[in-house]
Amino acid sequence: MPTLNENDKVVFCREFTKDVASTVCLPFSIDATQAAEAGKFYTFAGVDKSGADWEVIMQETPTSNLVSGALTANTPYLFVPAATGPVLFYGEATASSTAGEVSDTEGWTFKGTYTRIDWLTDPQTIYGFAATNATNVSPGTFFRVKGGANSYILPFRAYLDAANCSSLAPSRMPASEMPSQMTVRLIAADGTITAIGTLDTHTGEVRFDSDAWYGINGRRLNGQPTTKGVYIHNGRKEVVK
């Protein structure tokens, strides 16, 4: 855990589990040293529908590219911790008290929040990651929030909103026809897929299906592969010899 000095203005501490990714959005920038010690950060790269499935793409921010303040204040990220336990971030707060957002060219928006949000009625365009034990939701997917007592997100997390997506606007596509689930993909700095998982909209944590196997192209297999090659299993790459 890093040591604070007298010039630090804001401290954020939260319990994380090693290799269990979680969304984070903080009111201060994170320098390269903090980022490298804590784990890996991913930025929202967009939602892809070039294949049969909807895919949410998260791109790793290479440590070699980080400079002081490279992880920007009020910006949502996906964070994969390097160790289990409390992780402490610190920095000088910005003037803005509003969490930011990142959008792709189609209008999908990854939004941070500094307050708890409850969706008591169907918001139509909101998506959160599903936990592995979520009811009626397949592990490894982003699912559409339908509203109700259990539809909420905690502060300092992030979620997806399709409200500005032209192809999914409520005026053009009713909520009943919108994709109910989308696969989440973590892309390494070198462009290869490193993990496929799900995020719980309540806690902001991403979980990986320990029983699922995927090809290096991200397609789910029917079971454990017997052919030699590199595969994705339990949130990481594995080599079958």
Side-chain angles (χ1 to χ4, degrees), residues 209-241:
D209 184 355
S210 60
D211 296 325
W213 288 81
Y214 298 84
I216 199 64
N217 62 357
R219 300 302 177 189
R220 183 165 181 162
L221 307 179
N222 291 328
Q224 183 173 348
T226 56
T227 305
K228 294 180 180 179
V230 179
Y231 300 90
I232 301 170
H233 176 236
N234 201 21
R236 65 190 65 199
K237 288 183 180 179
E238 291 193 18
V239 178
V240 174
K241 300 180 179 180

Side-chain angles (χ1 to χ4, degrees), residues 4 52 60 67 77 108 163:
L4 302 183
E60 180 185 354
V67 294
Y77 292 97
W108 285 94

